[in-house]
Amino acid sequence: MSKHLAFILAATLVFASAPPSGQLEVANHGSRREPAQGKQWHLEYLHTDEAHQSSQGEGVTVAVLDTGVDPHRDLAPNLLDGTDVIPGGSGHGHYDLNGHGTGMAGLIAATGEGDGAMGIAPRSKVLPVLVTPASGVGEADALADGIEYAVSRSARVISISSVGGTSQRLVRAINTALAANVVIVASAGNRPGDGYVGYPASLDPVIAVGGVDRRGNHAAVSVTGPEIDVVAPAVDIYSTGINGGYRVGTGTSDATAIVAGAAALIRSKYPDLPAQEVAHRLTATAIDKGPPGRDDEYGYGVIDLVAALTADVPPLGFESPSVTAPTSTAADGNRNDNSTARGLATLGVLLAAGGGYLVWRRRRRAGDPPPRISR
């Protein structure tokens, strides 16, 4: 396999998903088990309960292009039949020897029933597409196969928690997805293995996701660069695992799945909103961190689920200097109800070739024209 065509999962710390006994990996307190949601610090940080009053992802299918998805009890009601694009799977994506894909799926669509884990969009559906073997290293053309399949199955969001090289076929597949009005969310990459934002997150129409820690500060594992759009929790992220257990991961993989769930919430509440406007809502309402405006560590800021669903966001082309969110609790503890999200001025739109589809794009640096995806 050519090195420049390899794709590597963007997660650095993955712990055993289930103990040898096969029991769920939960803490026991007498006769009671600690609910999985009690370990999912990112849910409280993002004020998921408040966001779920507006949307829970109903009617939206999110394609998870990864190592497959094990039919965990917390996921089973929302798990569709998918496919395997590499040999050795189950034939419909319900097979995961690594645990990575199952974890990403849980962050998006775990139901939260009983004492189980909860996803950002617990009423969305997951389309599992096995594109990466258990080794965690896949091929660009396999990812292209997965994207094409996701588009054919009417996925409205595609979540890619991996980074790597490209191929002509992969470029064509991404263009096909964009033309089909699909939101693509991808990992920026992890240090120390990655030194810059990887592909396909480096493409303008793809939402490039970096990570923050429990305090909302830049996560040391997250790469930086002018392509970063938004950031989300990426450290000690608890989610579903294989064999009925749970996993803890650190990396921009987890942040990407969380943002994909956020995109599903938006697409559910605003079903007619074009893909570039979904991305626009995420960036326009993000909680600004670091220097004012977009920067290479935080992009436009930490995603704000509540504001993304409820703020009055002018459409692209009608931006104002700031967008004031309704009285919602922000993810950043330093932000109050009257604060505003910044960063609209650097967003733009591009009329894509063929069919007049508007593709959301961002300016890397002031004055620089956005690069195009070439066939």
Side-chain angles (χ1 to χ4, degrees):
M1 179 173 56
S2 299
K3 185 175 181 180
H4 71 284
L5 295 181
F7 267 78
I8 302 175
L9 300 176
T12 58
L13 298 177
V14 180
F15 301 99
S17 61
S21 65
Q23 298 299 310
L24 296 179
E25 191 250 315
V26 292
N28 291 313
H29 299 282
S31 60
R32 294 194 322 151
R33 293 184 305 185
E34 179 185 349
Q37 292 170 47
K39 299 183 178 182
Q40 294 184 284
W41 68 267
H42 66 279
L43 296 179
E44 182 177 359
Y45 177 85
L46 294 172
H47 303 285
T48 310
D49 285 348
E50 187 178 353
H52 286 170
Q53 296 175 24
S54 296
S55 173
Q56 295 190 29
E58 299 91 336
V60 177
T61 295
V62 181
V64 175
L65 277 55
D66 215 289
T67 60
V69 178
D70 192 65
H72 193 284
R73 67 167 189 164
D74 296 348
L75 270 170
N78 290 332
L79 188 60
L80 303 174
D81 284 342
T83 193
D84 306 329
V85 301
I86 58 175
S90 64
H92 45 70
H94 296 187
Y95 183 81
D96 185 6
L97 292 179
N98 180 288
H100 189 272
T102 304
M104 301 308 104
L107 291 172
I108 295 167
T111 63
E113 296 179 358
D115 59 5
M118 178 181 286
I120 298 296
R123 293 189 181 176
S124 65
K125 301 297 183 184
V126 163
L127 180 69
V129 187
L130 200 165
V131 300
T132 308
S135 66
V137 180
E139 295 186 7
D141 283 353
L143 187 61
D145 281 341
I147 292 172
E148 291 168 357
Y149 177 80
V151 172
S152 74
R153 292 293 301 275
S154 301
R156 304 195 68 198
V157 179
I158 293 177
S159 182
I160 303 174
S161 288
S162 58
V163 297
T166 185
S167 68
Q168 290 185 348
R169 187 174 177 197
L170 180 54
V171 170
R172 289 194 298 269
I174 291 173
N175 281 332
T176 297
L178 295 172
N181 194 30
V182 178
V183 175
I184 304 177
V185 186
S187 303
N190 294 337
R191 291 172 171 167
D194 301 315
Y196 50 86
V197 176
Y199 192 92
S202 58
L203 295 175
D204 271 332
V206 175
I207 301 174
V209 182
V212 293
D213 61 21
R214 289 174 178 260
R215 296 185 177 182
N217 296 323
H218 174 72
V221 70
S222 178
V223 300
T224 62
E227 302 89 352
I228 299 291
D229 292 310
V230 291
V231 290
V235 175
D236 300 333
I237 306 300
Y238 192 90
S239 185
T240 48
I242 57 177
N243 301 322
Y246 296 90
R247 70 184 287 279
V248 179
T250 289
T252 56
S253 280
D254 302 84
T256 296
I258 289 170
V259 174
L265 295 180
I266 296 171
R267 300 220 87 165
S268 178
K269 182 170 182 181
Y270 304 102
D272 298 324
L273 202 64
Q276 80 276 7
E277 292 287 353
V278 174
H280 177 51
R281 269 196 167 267
L282 286 169
T283 57
T285 60
I287 300 164
D288 198 8
K289 300 279 291 186
R294 206 216 71 85
D295 65 78
D296 288 357
E297 284 192 340
Y298 299 99
Y300 291 98
V302 182
I303 61 167
D304 187 329
L305 298 181
V306 177
L309 293 168
T310 60
D312 183 9
V313 179
L316 285 165
F318 296 91
E319 300 90 348
S320 60
S322 64
V323 175
T324 302
T327 54
S328 63
T329 308
D332 188 341
N334 295 323
R335 177 183 169 185
N336 59 41
D337 290 340
N338 295 319
S339 62
T340 59
R342 293 170 286 180
L344 289 172
T346 53
L347 291 175
V349 291
L350 175 72
L351 185 63
Y357 171 71
L358 289 176
V359 178
W360 166 77
R361 288 191 176 267
R362 61 189 177 279
R363 297 277 181 177
R364 307 295 194 193
R365 301 180 180 87
D368 287 350
R372 296 173 179 267
I373 299 179
S374 58
R375 291 184 180 275

